Amino acid sequence: MQIITTKAALEAVIEECKKEKQSIGLVPTMGALHEGHASLVRRAVAENDICVVSVFVNPTQFNNKEDLAKYPRNIERDAELLSRIGAHYVFAPTPEEMYSAQEMNTTFEFDFAGLDKVMEGKMRPGHFNGVVQVVSRLFYLTRPEKAYFGEKDFQQLAIIHHMVERSSMAGTFGKLEIIGCPIVREESGLAMSSRNERLSEQEKQTALAISKTLFDSLKWAKEAGATVADVQQRVIDTINAVPGLEVEYYEIVDQTTLLPTDTFEHAIGCVTVYCGPVRLIDNIKY
Ligand code: PAF
């Protein structure tokens, strides 16, 4: 496995792969890798000739400086894991390598068709502009046939699908296929996240109420006369009743439009909860 830190070196390697007609699978990450990332990488290794993993804590998608500063980073451990599971290249640039000063300081404009106006987009203004900025750059540099993203960030996945559909129409990313992979959970049910590293043992126990409540809500949705509004409120009240947890939002929305829905068909419930200072997200499909 080779670690690459410059765009020029990555482009040279990709050019060689293209010449050899090797298919490329890309797994974009911000590092602090866990079993959830590993599942994406294993799949990319299995389905492509070459697997490229980017490890880059993207500053432009953080609207909170403290969150950016505290985001866990451990490239040595990440590289060790990636080499063990068969990734071929790790792209780990510095922010200065990735962006010019101007790019770093101006919002990347993109037409989200409203997908950025709800949930994460509403709570973290500009977040998805930064995500689209970095992901589109990674696509241009890596020219993958397939790119893999976790379903835990469901809204991010919907936005990337939208971005690729729009740009493919203009012929930008060729035949790029976006592959959403299921959430990987701890045995306890807690959705795996790099942010879990910031939880104390006590907070990890407390956080279990999040996934438990989401799973319980599948049963509540089947109760006679249950409405989406009732289930939504019951999830919020149940989680908020746990000391140490505070729901930022829980919204049951249509899986495609991400707009509120009044039916459980094709619906997904997306939650963001503060567990102490750590912001956790999770979701459940009804
Ligand atoms: O999901 C993430 O880790 C990030 O948002 C991504 C897609 C790697 C872009 O920085």
Side-chain angles (χ1 to χ4, degrees), residues 58-63 99 103-104 106 126-127 129-131 133-134:
N58 174 32
T60 66
Q61 70 187 73
F62 284 81
N63 55 337
Y99 299 123
E103 285 171 332
M104 194 94 92
T106 41
H127 165 66
N129 301 71
V131 170
Q133 179 180 30
V134 73

Side-chain angles (χ1 to χ4, degrees), residues 27-228:
V27 184
T29 82
M30 296 208 298
L33 304 178
H34 49 68
E35 197 42 46
H37 298 108
S39 72
L40 307 183
V41 176
R42 284 196 194 97
R43 192 161 164 194
V45 169
E47 295 180 354
N48 302 275
D49 298 323
I50 297 294
C51 167
V52 180
V53 181
S54 61
V55 174
F56 178 61
V57 182
N58 174 32
T60 66
Q61 70 187 73
F62 284 81
N63 55 337
N64 177 331
K65 284 209 168 67
E66 201 188 321
D67 198 21
L68 172 61
K70 288 199 169 148
Y71 201 85
R73 293 161 169 89
N74 194 336
I75 185 69
E76 286 79 22
R77 206 180 64 191
D78 291 345
E80 201 274 315
L81 169 76
L82 292 171
S83 148
R84 206 166 0 103
I85 58 181
H88 300 88
Y89 297 103
V90 177
F91 179 50
T94 59
E96 294 70 27
E97 171 65 20
M98 204 59 171
Y99 299 123
S100 67
Q102 199 206 349
E103 285 171 332
M104 194 94 92
N105 294 311
T106 41
T107 304
F108 183 83
E109 294 303 334
F110 182 72
D111 178 6
F112 291 93
L115 290 172
D116 64 327
K117 294 285 175 283
V118 294
M119 302 190 292
E120 286 299 284
K122 199 159 70 183
M123 296 301 164
R124 304 175 70 188
H127 165 66
F128 287 121
N129 301 71
V131 170
V132 165
Q133 179 180 30
V134 73
V135 171
S136 59
R137 177 141 310 170
L138 290 168
F139 287 170
Y140 281 117
L141 292 170
T142 315
R143 296 188 277 153
E145 274 76 23
K146 294 190 170 101
Y148 299 79
F149 295 86
E151 285 191 345
K152 185 165 77 66
D153 296 290
F154 193 82
Q155 187 171 6
Q156 167 173 283
L157 182 59
I159 284 175
I160 290 166
H161 269 297
H162 169 73
M163 173 184 108
V164 170
E165 271 157 30
R166 285 204 41 188
S167 353
S168 290
M169 277 192 272
T172 315
F173 296 124
K175 283 210 183 86
L176 169 59
E177 189 186 343
I178 300 300
I179 299 177
C181 303
I183 296 180
V184 178
R185 297 182 181 278
E186 311 263 2
E187 241 174 69
S188 61
L190 182 66
M192 289 205 184
S193 163
S194 305
R195 287 193 159 86
N196 294 354
E197 282 187 25
R198 292 177 53 204
L199 298 173
S200 65
E201 280 312 310
Q202 175 57 52
E203 284 169 337
K204 264 195 183 164
Q205 285 304 312
T206 306
L208 297 187
I210 304 169
S211 53
K212 181 179 180 315
T213 307
L214 294 186
F215 286 120
D216 285 348
S217 79
L218 293 178
K219 290 178 241 147
W220 303 339
K222 292 204 172 92
E223 287 172 5
T227 67
V228 167

Side-chain angles (χ1 to χ4, degrees), residues 226-245:
T227 67
V228 167
D230 292 341
V231 171
Q232 200 165 275
Q233 195 56 48
R234 195 165 163 190
V235 167
I236 294 171
D237 294 344
T238 307
I239 298 177
N240 278 340
V242 178
L245 294 184

